[in-house]
Amino acid sequence: MAHFEKPAEGSWTEHYPELGTGPVSYDDSITPEFYESEREAIFRKTWLNVGRVEQLPKVGSYFTKEIDAAGASIVVVRSAKDEIRSFYNICRHRGNKLVWNDYPDREVSGFCRQFTCKYHAWRYALDGECVFVQQESEFFDFDKKDWGLAPIRTEVWEGFIFVNFDPDTETSLHDYMGSIGKGIEGYPFHKLTQVHRYRAEIGANWKLFIDAFAEFYHAPILHGGQYEPEERAKMGDVGYEAIQYAFDGPHASISSWGVIAPPKDPSMVKPIERKLRSGLFGPWDAPDLGMKELPPGVNPTRHRNWGIMSYVFFPNFMILIWKPNWVLTYHYWPTSHNTHVFEGTCYFAPPKNARERLAQELAVVSFKEYGLQDGNTLEATQKTLESNTPVKTFPLNDQEVVLRHLHHHARQYVAHHRAAGGQA
Amino acid sequence: MPNVLPPEFSDLEPFAAWAVHGEKARYEKRLASTMDELQEFYDAAFARIDEALAYLERFAVEDLSEEGKRLLWLYCALCTVAFPVEAWRQPRVPDSGPSSIDAVSEPLV
Ligand code: FES
């Protein structure tokens, strides 16, 4: 019944022997203790994507990011030297939060020439240097040059801005992204500037929500109601198989089948999709992005029925590249062991006319309908996993190999951290 | 009340309240509506969809008149109500409980 060839070992999972094939425990997803270790071992040690360069269009453009998992608020800015820099969002004088409006816990963005503290008006240049101190002569043994903003390591990969809270990290972002990242380099992300951003507070562990987006085994069942009944029955019979799974270090990619944009037979899809020529897989009429060829890591087997690539960049960043030339990203920002903030962002080529804008809208709202089903299902999962039950381990099938891999690496990071004497 | 849509879509004026900016506002209106109301709007807007698409295809988004923008948003709202009408048979996504996913930034038009 296999439609796509698996590795010689007979399964994707066995191709990576360190993953094992036994049932998996989710005790990495249900306790405050494990989450505290993850904060130290993962979120303060790895490269985290915080946005894209297009969010900082000119010198002085900035945005803030609340990263609870790393215990930090940060400000990301385009400096006078036209570099992307990040700093802890804290005034060096007496610790006031430096950049915020009205509500200190909300993220903000904007443009400025300098950062000015709301408290006593110390000022910082865009490169973090302290350039003005009110009544400077009242301070003792004082040189304001010593009191610049605390920087955070910041690097850019393919227009995606990453930070790393570990000042001692020896791994560059480029190396961290590994062969999975390398395989996408050159994709024209910078041409996809029509952006829709979504945010949700989810009552589930961050890894459980990645799990939901890292397997499609659930799609014909949980999301079956979105299809015309006949198509739904067909999908139920066939189930789901990926064309290819690939892993490098903690990162993963999934290449999936998908001939639904446009569908082979229009009666497969809902009436609005037929009219707008769009749906969950995106507008059917792909914009020309000037690509001669897809990068090697996008549809790696060059399968003619390829439809979508999903990349999981450890720990909490996913990129989805859809055949009709648009991109979706997911971020999962933990706020406790059983809550996180989910961000879903759709990137399209600017629409050439208002009809194309409408086709994009249908893709965006379709993403939201699916996400709502996944989100609520996962809140129930979290509660039952935390409940007093004898059910402790769970079998994962070969199409769930990315989940197995994600939890494996989260545990590995924590185990190494604890072995090295990490406190949390 | 003066018309808000292009004159050739005056038959859709009774549904002008759907022609609002922002997916969040359109989604809230969907949740606040009965299935009968959603069906009525869907039927009326779907009946004119070919003409609407032909109209929208003639304009770059930034060149739309105020009426043209309203027409675009009205059909964005049709996308929002298409799920309840064509698939769910209820205003909320099935089994979605209290969860919500909110638009935090969108194109200006
Ligand atoms: S705390 Fe910022 S200037 Fe005093």
Side-chain angles (χ1 to χ4, degrees), chain A residues 194-202 209 222-223 225-228 270-273 275-276 342 351-355 357-358 361-362 364-373 375-377 379, chain B residues 23-24 26-27 30 42 46 49-50 53-54 56-61 64 72 75-76 78-80 82-84 86-88 93-107 109:
Chain A
Q194 179 85 348
V195 180
H196 299 243
R197 287 177 197 285
Y198 280 79
R199 180 183 190 279
E201 292 177 16
I202 306 283
F209 211 41
L222 184 63
H223 305 307
Q226 301 209 1
Y227 295 93
E228 296 292 289
K270 300 200 290 338
I272 185 105
E273 299 179 4
K275 285 291 184 193
L276 298 190
F342 167 74
K352 286 202 288 293
N353 57 52
R355 181 185 180 145
R357 164 73 181 80
L358 185 61
E361 181 78 10
L362 185 60
V364 172
V365 303
S366 302
F367 143 72
K368 172 169 163 165
E369 302 285 319
Y370 273 82
L372 278 167
Q373 283 190 311
N376 199 48
T377 302
E379 298 195 5
Chain B
E23 190 273 335
K24 193 167 187 208
R26 297 187 287 264
Y27 197 80
R30 156 175 155 184
Y42 176 93
F46 207 91
I49 197 167
D50 291 331
L53 291 174
L56 294 171
E57 193 158 24
R58 298 200 333 253
F59 298 97
V61 173
L64 283 172
L72 171 62
Y75 277 86
C76 285
L78 182 68
C79 296
T80 300
F83 283 89
E86 295 181 350
W88 309 139
V93 177
D95 297 331
S96 68
S99 57
S100 69
I101 297 183
D102 298 321
V104 289
S105 83
E106 291 184 81
V109 176

